[in-house]
Each structure stands twice: as structure tokens, then as C-alpha cells.
Amino acid sequence: MKCDCDYIVKDFSGKFEEHYDSCSTKGCVKTAPDGTLLLRNPHLSSLQTDVLYHLGFDSSQDLPGMFGDVKFVCMGGTKQRMRDFAEHMRQVLQTGPNQLVNLTKRSHRYAMYKVGPVLAVSHGIGIPSMSILLQEVLKLLHYARAPRPLVVRIGTSGGLGLPPGAVVVSSWGANASGERVYELPILGVVRKFPSLFDTRVSQELVSMAREEDPFPTTLGGTMAADDFYRGQARLDGPFCDHSEQDKMAYLQQLRHQGVRNIEMEATAFAALTREAGVRAADVCVTFLDRLLGDQVTASKETLTAWQKRPMIIVGRYISQYCKQNQ
Ligand SMILES: O=P(O)(O)O[C@@H]1C[C@H](O)[C@@H](CO)O1
Ligand SMILES: O=c1cc[nH]c(=O)[nH]1
């Protein structure tokens, strides 16, 4: 098969040629023929039962019965936000349980709600917390045999040159050095995984914005930091040995590279979903313009209202999909 993908790997069974990249080649296979997730880990087949420890599930349960109809996994930092999102989707889709139930309550670590084809799950702060949750969700989707799921992060961020309350749909994630990769030390060796999002899904999400929306929705690069304070060039942490000038030079450099917002998950989120062959998008609201300051000063009410904005965009997308696939 000839194809424009940069990254081509063979499935361990040798049966499928899989592509990490978004690829338009007809016949390019990223998943099993029925659209379910293939996991590229030969060791999993030797496990009698796979324990998804942080989610509080295991593969001996009827995961296809519980999650086989999942089409959208939406995740974000806080438990409350993801409960609010589940409630939002219950209203948009006019479906779901009468009472929302936290499905991961046995583990106490994250929160997970299911509303029809939508799974809403919290992931905590930063790449380590998010990536543990995401990897267990990928295994859950695999065991549940959920076909062609879309995974969306509904987050918050600091903007670069955007009005606070703007929504950014990420085209890629960059690390603090501006590289579009997720770096992970494995067996003591730092490995780099490309952190690009699915262009088509991101553009479709941006197209969900309406003229009457009281906020702009824009496509842009997202820097994922490993810290909220110095790692995001802030001057207001407990430690700081850089100047206001250093900070501004760094933020302006990011902006010139195409970064429109800063959060703490985009690189790993893009890279892990891409490696799994799952379409994904990162949709974040900005809480402040980092070119104008460091502190998040908007009121609790305003921040809560702004957090709804990515939900509105993603809710429209899911609603449109459900109407077209009734
Ligand atoms: O989804 P959330 O709001 O958690 O995303 C950003 C990045 C960090 O997780 C956190 C820092 O406040 O907010
Ligand atoms: O500035 C911000 C705001 C929210 N989340 C971040 O990571 N940074």
C-alpha cells in the first residue's frame, strides 16, 4: 500500500499496516476492520484479567455491555466540570440516566459518567495524571470493543494574545522548547512521540462556532507545560529567577511559533491518542491573556461560565453526529 504517512508500523500480528499520522490514503488501516482499537502490546494477551486499577474496572467484567456503545470520550481536569458536561450532554441529547452515577467511585481517583454514547471523565492536573487515565480509557475502549471512538479534552488554559474567555481548538501540542512532541523516558532513554491532532476533527470543531456566540473560537498551537508557575514563565510563583523581560520574550517567541494557549496536557494527549490510532481533539477556554498578566483574577461565576464554552462547541459536534447517525 502506498501512502503519505510519515509513521508506518506493523501490527504485532503482522496483519495490519497501521499509521500514526492522519492519512487520507484510501484503505489506510489504523484500527481493526470493525473499527475497534488495536493495542500494540503483545504482553497484554498473556494476562488472564487486565486490571484497570485507577478506573476500578477489569477485563473480566462485561465491558462490551457497559461501554460498547461509547462513541465520544470527553475528558477534563476536574470532577465537577465533567459532571457538568455529562449534565449538559443529558440536556443536549435528551438521553441518559435520571441520576448521574460516578462509575469509577470504587477507585476514588477520577470521576466518570456515561450519557448515551458519551463518556465524561476527569483526568486531574498535568501529563502524569492525564496520561494514566487516558491509557486506561484506551484499554477500556479496546476491551469494550467500542468502534471508532473520538476522544476530546475539554480544558482550561492561559491564552496568548486572545481575549479571556476565548476557545482554542489545538492543531498540535508543543513542549516547553517548542518541539511538537511528547517526551517520555522509557527504560532510562528519553523517547519522543509526535503530538499532532487530527486536522479534520479540529477544523470540524472550529466550524461548530456560531456568529452569535459571545466568544471567539480559533484553531492554534497549544504549549503543554509541566508546571503552572515557572514552567509557564509566570512571575508569581514561590520561586522565580527570570525577569519580566525574559518572560515576555519567551511568550512572544511561543506566539510567533503559532502557540495560542498554554495548558498542561496537550502533547501527551495528542501523542498517545495518535499512537493508539484514535481521533482526538483538545478544546480549551482561556482564563486570561498571558501577555497581560499571570494571575487568574476572574470571579468564580465567570470562570464557571467560561468553562461551559468548550462544552457548547463539543456538545454541538456530538449532537450533529447523533442526528446524522440516528
Ligand atoms: O483541564 P484543566 O482545566 O485541568 O487544564 C488546565 C491544565 C492543568 O491541568 C490545569 C492547571 O490549572 O488547568
Ligand atoms: O494559565 C493557565 C490557566 C489554566 N491552566 C493553565 O495551565 N495555565
Side-chain angles (χ1 to χ4, degrees), residues 76-77 81 123-126 153-156 228 263-265:
R81 187 187 315 147
H123 61 56
I125 285 190
R153 193 177 108 71
I154 297 171
T156 66
F228 187 81
E263 39 86 290
M264 298 177 65
E265 290 86 11

PDB file of all heavy atoms in Angstrom, residues 76-77 81 123-126 153-156 228 263-265, ligand 1:
ATOM      1  N   GLY A  76     -11.542  16.118  31.080  1.00  0.00           N
ATOM      2  CA  GLY A  76     -11.077  17.431  31.522  1.00  0.00           C
ATOM      3  C   GLY A  76     -10.588  17.305  32.951  1.00  0.00           C
ATOM      4  O   GLY A  76     -10.812  16.277  33.615  1.00  0.00           O
ATOM      5  N   GLY A  77      -9.913  18.363  33.435  1.00  0.00           N
ATOM      6  CA  GLY A  77      -9.221  18.279  34.713  1.00  0.00           C
ATOM      7  C   GLY A  77     -10.078  17.908  35.915  1.00  0.00           C
ATOM      8  O   GLY A  77      -9.719  17.019  36.685  1.00  0.00           O
ATOM      9  N   ARG A  81     -16.339  19.642  36.628  1.00  0.00           N
ATOM     10  CA  ARG A  81     -16.525  20.026  35.219  1.00  0.00           C
ATOM     11  C   ARG A  81     -17.087  18.865  34.414  1.00  0.00           C
ATOM     12  O   ARG A  81     -17.957  19.026  33.573  1.00  0.00           O
ATOM     13  CB  ARG A  81     -15.200  20.485  34.607  1.00  0.00           C
ATOM     14  CG  ARG A  81     -15.383  21.045  33.196  1.00  0.00           C
ATOM     15  CD  ARG A  81     -14.051  21.341  32.503  1.00  0.00           C
ATOM     16  NE  ARG A  81     -13.139  22.020  33.380  1.00  0.00           N
ATOM     17  CZ  ARG A  81     -11.811  21.859  33.331  1.00  0.00           C
ATOM     18  NH1 ARG A  81     -11.275  21.074  32.429  1.00  0.00           N
ATOM     19  NH2 ARG A  81     -11.025  22.487  34.171  1.00  0.00           N
ATOM     20  N   HIS A 123      -9.528  13.957  34.579  1.00  0.00           N
ATOM     21  CA  HIS A 123      -8.176  13.403  34.490  1.00  0.00           C
ATOM     22  C   HIS A 123      -7.166  14.044  35.440  1.00  0.00           C
ATOM     23  O   HIS A 123      -5.978  13.696  35.413  1.00  0.00           O
ATOM     24  CB  HIS A 123      -7.645  13.446  33.053  1.00  0.00           C
ATOM     25  CG  HIS A 123      -7.533  14.825  32.444  1.00  0.00           C
ATOM     26  ND1 HIS A 123      -6.814  15.843  33.006  1.00  0.00           N
ATOM     27  CD2 HIS A 123      -8.054  15.336  31.292  1.00  0.00           C
ATOM     28  CE1 HIS A 123      -6.878  16.914  32.229  1.00  0.00           C
ATOM     29  NE2 HIS A 123      -7.643  16.650  31.190  1.00  0.00           N
ATOM     30  N   GLY A 124      -7.590  14.995  36.277  1.00  0.00           N
ATOM     31  CA  GLY A 124      -6.641  15.635  37.193  1.00  0.00           C
ATOM     32  C   GLY A 124      -5.755  16.638  36.467  1.00  0.00           C
ATOM     33  O   GLY A 124      -6.019  17.014  35.320  1.00  0.00           O
ATOM     34  N   ILE A 125      -4.689  17.079  37.162  1.00  0.00           N
ATOM     35  CA  ILE A 125      -3.804  18.114  36.604  1.00  0.00           C
ATOM     36  C   ILE A 125      -2.527  17.504  36.036  1.00  0.00           C
ATOM     37  O   ILE A 125      -1.863  16.708  36.702  1.00  0.00           O
ATOM     38  CB  ILE A 125      -3.425  19.146  37.687  1.00  0.00           C
ATOM     39  CG1 ILE A 125      -4.604  20.077  37.969  1.00  0.00           C
ATOM     40  CG2 ILE A 125      -2.212  19.972  37.264  1.00  0.00           C
ATOM     41  CD1 ILE A 125      -4.262  21.264  38.848  1.00  0.00           C
ATOM     42  N   GLY A 126      -2.191  17.897  34.812  1.00  0.00           N
ATOM     43  CA  GLY A 126      -0.882  17.598  34.256  1.00  0.00           C
ATOM     44  C   GLY A 126      -0.786  16.260  33.536  1.00  0.00           C
ATOM     45  O   GLY A 126      -1.677  15.411  33.623  1.00  0.00           O
ATOM     46  N   ARG A 153     -10.536  16.476  24.723  1.00  0.00           N
ATOM     47  CA  ARG A 153     -10.248  17.109  26.007  1.00  0.00           C
ATOM     48  C   ARG A 153     -10.970  18.444  26.064  1.00  0.00           C
ATOM     49  O   ARG A 153     -10.928  19.233  25.116  1.00  0.00           O
ATOM     50  CB  ARG A 153      -8.734  17.324  26.173  1.00  0.00           C
ATOM     51  CG  ARG A 153      -8.351  17.676  27.595  1.00  0.00           C
ATOM     52  CD  ARG A 153      -6.855  17.819  27.780  1.00  0.00           C
ATOM     53  NE  ARG A 153      -6.445  19.190  27.952  1.00  0.00           N
ATOM     54  CZ  ARG A 153      -6.677  19.928  29.034  1.00  0.00           C
ATOM     55  NH1 ARG A 153      -7.336  19.411  30.066  1.00  0.00           N
ATOM     56  NH2 ARG A 153      -6.279  21.178  29.107  1.00  0.00           N
ATOM     57  N   ILE A 154     -11.657  18.669  27.178  1.00  0.00           N
ATOM     58  CA  ILE A 154     -12.404  19.916  27.380  1.00  0.00           C
ATOM     59  C   ILE A 154     -11.697  20.626  28.524  1.00  0.00           C
ATOM     60  O   ILE A 154     -11.908  20.297  29.690  1.00  0.00           O
ATOM     61  CB  ILE A 154     -13.872  19.582  27.752  1.00  0.00           C
ATOM     62  CG1 ILE A 154     -14.548  18.853  26.591  1.00  0.00           C
ATOM     63  CG2 ILE A 154     -14.646  20.826  28.116  1.00  0.00           C
ATOM     64  CD1 ILE A 154     -15.903  18.305  26.955  1.00  0.00           C
ATOM     65  N   GLY A 155     -10.806  21.574  28.192  1.00  0.00           N
ATOM     66  CA  GLY A 155      -9.910  22.080  29.216  1.00  0.00           C
ATOM     67  C   GLY A 155      -9.954  23.574  29.447  1.00  0.00           C
ATOM     68  O   GLY A 155     -10.753  24.304  28.849  1.00  0.00           O
ATOM     69  N   THR A 156      -9.053  24.014  30.314  1.00  0.00           N
ATOM     70  CA  THR A 156      -8.853  25.442  30.574  1.00  0.00           C
ATOM     71  C   THR A 156      -7.376  25.750  30.299  1.00  0.00           C
ATOM     72  O   THR A 156      -6.535  24.842  30.308  1.00  0.00           O
ATOM     73  CB  THR A 156      -9.200  25.820  32.025  1.00  0.00           C
ATOM     74  OG1 THR A 156      -8.266  25.186  32.904  1.00  0.00           O
ATOM     75  CG2 THR A 156     -10.611  25.398  32.388  1.00  0.00           C
ATOM     76  N   PHE A 228       2.674  24.924  36.480  1.00  0.00           N
ATOM     77  CA  PHE A 228       1.767  26.064  36.285  1.00  0.00           C
ATOM     78  C   PHE A 228       2.523  27.384  36.434  1.00  0.00           C
ATOM     79  O   PHE A 228       2.151  28.379  35.814  1.00  0.00           O
ATOM     80  CB  PHE A 228       0.645  25.993  37.335  1.00  0.00           C
ATOM     81  CG  PHE A 228      -0.444  27.014  37.156  1.00  0.00           C
ATOM     82  CD1 PHE A 228      -1.465  26.811  36.225  1.00  0.00           C
ATOM     83  CD2 PHE A 228      -0.465  28.171  37.917  1.00  0.00           C
ATOM     84  CE1 PHE A 228      -2.479  27.745  36.059  1.00  0.00           C
ATOM     85  CE2 PHE A 228      -1.481  29.111  37.758  1.00  0.00           C
ATOM     86  CZ  PHE A 228      -2.495  28.897  36.826  1.00  0.00           C
ATOM     87  N   GLU A 263      -1.452  25.073  28.361  1.00  0.00           N
ATOM     88  CA  GLU A 263      -2.064  24.245  29.410  1.00  0.00           C
ATOM     89  C   GLU A 263      -1.056  23.180  29.817  1.00  0.00           C
ATOM     90  O   GLU A 263       0.150  23.440  29.708  1.00  0.00           O
ATOM     91  CB  GLU A 263      -3.453  23.706  28.984  1.00  0.00           C
ATOM     92  CG  GLU A 263      -3.607  23.255  27.543  1.00  0.00           C
ATOM     93  CD  GLU A 263      -3.192  21.838  27.333  1.00  0.00           C
ATOM     94  OE1 GLU A 263      -1.964  21.552  27.417  1.00  0.00           O
ATOM     95  OE2 GLU A 263      -4.055  21.006  26.994  1.00  0.00           O
ATOM     96  N   MET A 264      -1.493  22.008  30.272  1.00  0.00           N
ATOM     97  CA  MET A 264      -0.517  21.076  30.831  1.00  0.00           C
ATOM     98  C   MET A 264      -0.698  19.628  30.361  1.00  0.00           C
ATOM     99  O   MET A 264      -0.239  18.704  31.025  1.00  0.00           O
ATOM    100  CB  MET A 264      -0.568  21.154  32.369  1.00  0.00           C
ATOM    101  CG  MET A 264      -0.205  22.527  32.899  1.00  0.00           C
ATOM    102  SD  MET A 264      -0.336  22.681  34.686  1.00  0.00           S
ATOM    103  CE  MET A 264       0.918  21.549  35.228  1.00  0.00           C
ATOM    104  N   GLU A 265      -1.394  19.440  29.232  1.00  0.00           N
ATOM    105  CA  GLU A 265      -1.670  18.070  28.798  1.00  0.00           C
ATOM    106  C   GLU A 265      -1.529  17.814  27.298  1.00  0.00           C
ATOM    107  O   GLU A 265      -1.394  16.659  26.874  1.00  0.00           O
ATOM    108  CB  GLU A 265      -3.100  17.660  29.212  1.00  0.00           C
ATOM    109  CG  GLU A 265      -3.350  17.460  30.689  1.00  0.00           C
ATOM    110  CD  GLU A 265      -3.713  18.762  31.416  1.00  0.00           C
ATOM    111  OE1 GLU A 265      -3.980  19.776  30.733  1.00  0.00           O
ATOM    112  OE2 GLU A 265      -3.712  18.770  32.663  1.00  0.00           O
TER     113      GLU A 265
HETATM  114  O1  LIG B   1      -8.484  20.620  32.131  1.00  0.00           O
HETATM  115  P1  LIG B   1      -7.750  21.531  33.037  1.00  0.00           P
HETATM  116  O2  LIG B   1      -8.560  22.722  33.419  1.00  0.00           O
HETATM  117  O3  LIG B   1      -7.252  20.802  34.264  1.00  0.00           O
HETATM  118  O4  LIG B   1      -6.466  22.097  32.245  1.00  0.00           O
HETATM  119  C1  LIG B   1      -5.545  23.043  32.689  1.00  0.00           C
HETATM  120  C2  LIG B   1      -4.143  22.461  32.683  1.00  0.00           C
HETATM  121  C3  LIG B   1      -3.968  21.959  34.099  1.00  0.00           C
HETATM  122  O5  LIG B   1      -4.463  20.651  34.218  1.00  0.00           O
HETATM  123  C4  LIG B   1      -4.805  22.904  34.936  1.00  0.00           C
HETATM  124  C5  LIG B   1      -3.992  23.961  35.629  1.00  0.00           C
HETATM  125  O6  LIG B   1      -4.809  24.867  36.288  1.00  0.00           O
HETATM  126  O7  LIG B   1      -5.727  23.536  34.026  1.00  0.00           O
END
